[in-house]
Amino acid sequence: MKTFYIETFGCQMNAHDSEKVIGTLLSQGYQKVETPEEAELVFYNTCSIRDKAEQKVFHRLQQFKKEHGKGKTFAVLGCVAQQEGERIFEKAPHVSLVCGSASYNKLPEMLVQLESGNRRVTGLSLDTEDTFETPMTRRDNPHRAYITIIEGCDKSCAYCVVPFTRGPERSRTSASVMSETLELARAGYSEIQLLGQNVNSYRDPSPAGWDFATLLDNVGRVQGIRRVRFTTSHPRDFRKSIIDAIDGNTALCNHVHLPVQSGSSRILAAMQRLYTRDEYMERIRWMKASPRAIAITSDIIVGFPGETEEDFEATLGLLDEVEYDSIFSFKYSRRPNTSALALDDQIAEEEKVRRLTIVQERQRGIQIRRNAAYLGSVEECMVEGFNKATSQWIGRTSQNKTLNFLRPGRDEDLTGHYLEVRVTRAGPNSLVGEAVN
Ligand code: 5AD
Ligand code: SF4
């Protein structure tokens, strides 16, 4: 039996793609091993969102070339595979398979080609209407399951490679999403995360014609499903009906990740984000008006070409105005194929570093204040595991906050259980508490 190892970089879409790829490989008779040294086939499922992410896979391939790469077959999957295509064979001649996510349906055939000695196997077509579904998906976590509802992206944000690496938008039918949810609920999963590059532009291709809010609500009404999350959303397609669904269905987590990227309407236009700051803030007001205390998180890019000090101040002002529960913040990174590549007025690296540091300090203060407001409150946590170093259980609230807690005198495994926890301490990035009996 052939052995394989897989390492995954990047987002949850990639993590879930790897679960499906693993299922496919197992069903083809391959055996999974935990280190690349033991494996005959080594897969890297890659990310190219920023230059640093892309470089990781080339470092890995380089390491192996020098050390123990002999006799192994290397495969590059995912976003770098799609972006670099056959150039990977030149950069790393020991790679034999290069395959983007839109071609994973063809993996079984590609494996046959590899087995028959073909050393240049590719799956790079983006011309597809299919999504990658497989009944063999090997999920990593027994309690929380990812479900892809839409693949690809039809937006053209000036900085972003995703439309080039994941192809055009394709939605799954609501019937297939619902039957997967039912199956997962029956198998004991209680939390579902709906995934897509742009989940809220979901459009049921079947005659039922559900929009995203309808799908979300129905997934949350499946018996046994206690929590539903979704990521990631684009403000342009974010309708009030999503908040209405959250208001009316407690199985839908009170957390929305709504990437803003910049607080300056001028930069948003240059980024081709298709909304202004005011339009974005309207969506924030819908969330703040909800009776459910919806946690709001975001992504920020600093140093987009042409970003002036005034634009940057507008982003800081937006952080203060929204008071996000947390953010991911990044320095703008120039990406191949994207339209921003051609823009003049690139911001110097030191200046990007300075702005990023300021954004992160500002946000840290906001999080310290926001989290302190939870002191004394009782939150329901889903237990994710146990931290031996601190003797604390690791919990997650519906708002997606980490709440680590003590539960003295019990040693059964609580992973996957839901417990009420009283918050006793608050830091910028997590809460600490004690289980309530
Ligand atoms: N440079 C920096 N950050 C980027 N992102 C996407 N493309 C780039 C880029 N070229 C960020 C955005 C997006 C998140 C997933 O990554 O903030 O929301
Ligand atoms: Fe990285 Fe984007 Fe590809 Fe996800 S979709 S792996 S974040 S480049």
Side-chain angles (χ1 to χ4, degrees), residues 10-21:
C11 63
Q12 284 141 318
M13 290 287 280
N14 253 23
H16 187 40
D17 281 346
S18 285
E19 294 180 332
K20 299 188 213 177
V21 167

Side-chain angles (χ1 to χ4, degrees), residues 404-415:
N404 299 313
F405 64 95
L406 293 166
R407 196 188 192 228
R410 299 286 184 93
D411 43 76
E412 85 259 45
D413 186 5
L414 297 173
T415 309

Side-chain angles (χ1 to χ4, degrees), residues 5 75 95 108 172 193 233 288 291 326-327 421 434-435:
Y5 167 83
V95 170
R172 273 171 79 179
Q193 282 199 31
S233 299
K288 300 231 181 220
S326 77
I327 61 167
V421 178
E434 273 170 24

